[in-house]
Amino acid sequence: MATFLRAFGRFFTKHPLAGNGLVYGTLYVGAEFSQQTITRKFLTDPPQDIDRPTLARYAVMGTFIYSPILYNWYKWLDKTFPGTAKRIIVKKLLLDQFILTPPLLVIFFTGMSLMERQSSITEECRQKFLPTFARSCLFWMPAQTLNFVLVPPKFRVVYVGSCAFAWVNILCWVKRQKMLSSN
């Protein structure tokens, strides 16, 4: 195990974007997989198979879309606002929650709708954005406080990925909620 961890550490140091993408994408898909396991295997009678196309969409979103955005965002944020002084942490929190999060939610809902080939790629976003953003504030503000105070910058995306495992379970639950009829 120690050999594996050293090799991963070297890979992560040499290829931080790819390392972050693999970890974040795996955790992102893991959250959807856990949601499907609960809802499709335990809460339905008879149990249903895992929806692999949905897992693939979460893999695309987590590995190739969110991960590079987060990697570059935290790199910029830590360079622009170095340190862990209280006022720096507050700036990072506010920027993260009110500048980065809204576009990420729009990307999530519209990107998933696009990959699902929905007739309207914006309808779900319009209906679910505000309640999801409110939940996001409750979840991410404390999580990001710990991130900016305790986590070394090179591990920010991994930490966020670990938190995102819980957060994406919330997003998956929100995504599964029925939309109001647009009639």
Side-chain angles (χ1 to χ4, degrees), residues 23 32 34 38 48 55 60-61 67 71-73 80 82 88 91 106-108 110 116 127 142 155 158 171:
V23 171
E32 171 60 15
S34 69
I38 292 165
Q48 301 171 357
L55 289 178
V60 168
M61 188 65 68
S67 179
Y71 174 80
N72 288 302
W73 171 256
T80 307
I88 295 294
K91 283 180 186 177
V106 169
I107 289 168
F108 174 77
T110 59
E116 292 166 350
Q127 289 189 27
F155 294 116
V158 171
L171 269 181

Side-chain angles (χ1 to χ4, degrees), residues 123 127 179-183:
E123 184 60 32
Q127 289 189 27
M179 288 193 297
L180 299 173
S181 176
S182 49
N183 293 337

Side-chain angles (χ1 to χ4, degrees), residues 16-164:
L17 182 58
N20 279 292
L22 289 173
V23 171
Y24 192 86
T26 299
L27 291 166
Y28 214 77
V29 171
E32 171 60 15
F33 182 77
S34 69
Q35 276 288 304
Q36 284 195 34
T37 300
I38 292 165
T39 60
R40 297 174 81 85
K41 297 289 185 185
F42 298 116
L43 298 180
T44 58
D45 190 28
Q48 301 171 357
D49 290 335
I50 296 295
D51 180 357
R52 292 176 194 272
T54 297
L55 289 178
R57 288 190 288 274
Y58 277 85
V60 168
M61 188 65 68
T63 306
F64 301 109
I65 298 173
Y66 269 31
S67 179
I69 292 170
L70 293 172
Y71 174 80
N72 288 302
W73 171 256
Y74 293 124
K75 193 171 159 182
W76 174 83
L77 203 59
D78 287 326
K79 184 179 177 184
T80 307
F81 303 101
T84 57
K86 197 179 282 187
R87 64 179 177 70
I88 295 294
I89 299 302
V90 169
K91 283 180 186 177
K92 287 180 175 180
L93 283 171
L94 293 174
L95 288 168
D96 193 69
Q97 191 60 46
F98 295 99
I99 301 299
L100 180 66
T101 298
L104 286 180
L105 291 176
V106 169
I107 289 168
F108 174 77
F109 285 119
T110 59
M112 294 301 267
S113 292
L114 187 65
M115 288 188 282
E116 292 166 350
R117 296 187 172 123
Q118 297 290 328
S119 58
S120 169
I121 63 167
T122 60
E123 184 60 32
E124 186 173 33
C125 186
R126 279 196 294 273
Q127 289 189 27
K128 296 180 179 179
F129 178 86
L130 286 177
T132 306
F133 182 75
R135 289 180 184 103
S136 170
C137 290
L138 293 173
F139 181 87
W140 282 109
M141 296 293 273
Q144 290 295 58
T145 300
L146 293 175
N147 185 15
F148 297 136
V149 171
L150 300 175
V151 178
K154 79 177 196 176
F155 294 116
R156 292 214 194 282
V157 175
V158 171
Y159 169 81
V160 169
S162 300
C163 293

